[in-house]
Amino acid sequence: MEQFWTRDSIDKNKGLIEHLRQYGVIRSNKVAEVMETIDRGLFVPDGIPAYVDTPMQIGYNATISAPHMHAMCLELLENNLQPGMHALDVGSGTGFLTACFAMMVGPQGRAVGVEHIPELLATSIENIQKSQAAQLMKGGSLSVHVGGMFYLSVQSNREGIQSNSRPQIWFASCIYKVQYTCCRAK
């Protein structure tokens, strides 16, 4: 995907979303609404132009993905990020995409971010608390965690986990080997 504009052409989140819509990256009204609600400017370090379509250094040899990558992710997962569903963001960085996931699944759903760099995790918590997703974090439907091993709890009923509550997992960072095991509740 190409960069669609120069560094100085967009200075507001709404302008970024309009450009992504104009170029056909964002097609869904829901994705546009969520990306307008969660202002990217709150999730990049001070002094960095937040609304340019390029990855940006966020420290610790890490980047926040380009806006078109976030938009494409949300577009691809939209049908699996409905209210009440669950999402896991591995390599959650500054928390932007995790906050967007949370807005899509809503307070009845669950969005979890996992970041292996403790300093980025601390920053992501601060960023989310400044955003429209803060209430979801306060209510417990959005959380971020540091580290390697973790568990995502999903609510189940007596018949087991409902088919529409299977977590949607997005790997933002480089993974050399992923192993998972699915178990049935007895």
Side-chain angles (χ1 to χ4, degrees), residues 5-78:
W5 53 90
T6 64
R7 289 199 175 271
D8 299 324
S9 64
I10 296 180
D11 63 354
K12 299 277 186 233
N13 197 55
K14 187 168 178 65
L16 170 66
I17 305 313
E18 288 172 0
H19 269 80
L20 292 172
R21 285 195 89 138
Q22 177 183 348
Y23 286 99
V25 178
I26 296 177
R27 297 176 308 281
S28 158
N29 289 335
K30 181 66 174 178
V31 170
E33 176 187 319
V34 165
M35 288 187 72
E36 280 185 27
T37 301
I38 302 298
D39 189 331
R40 180 178 164 87
L42 299 174
F43 293 84
V44 299
D46 291 337
I48 294 179
Y51 309 112
V52 178
D53 189 33
T54 188
M56 310 228 171
Q57 291 292 325
I58 55 174
Y60 313 99
N61 202 26
T63 60
I64 183 172
S65 295
H68 76 265
M69 294 301 293
H70 288 142
M72 289 172 63
C73 171
L74 293 170
E75 286 283 336
L76 288 169
L77 293 175
E78 181 181 15

Side-chain angles (χ1 to χ4, degrees), residues 138-160:
K138 185 177 179 182
S141 60
L142 166 59
S143 63
V144 290
H145 307 273
V146 73
M149 301 306 288
F150 61 93
Y151 295 94
L152 173 65
S153 64
V154 291
Q155 290 190 352
S156 62
N157 59 23
R158 291 179 187 212
E159 289 78 43

Side-chain angles (χ1 to χ4, degrees), residues 90-91 114 116 150 169-179:
V90 178
V114 177
H116 73 283
F150 61 93
I169 303 172
W170 177 258
F171 291 98
S173 58
C174 182
I175 306 283
Y176 296 102
K177 181 179 179 183
V178 176
Q179 180 180 9

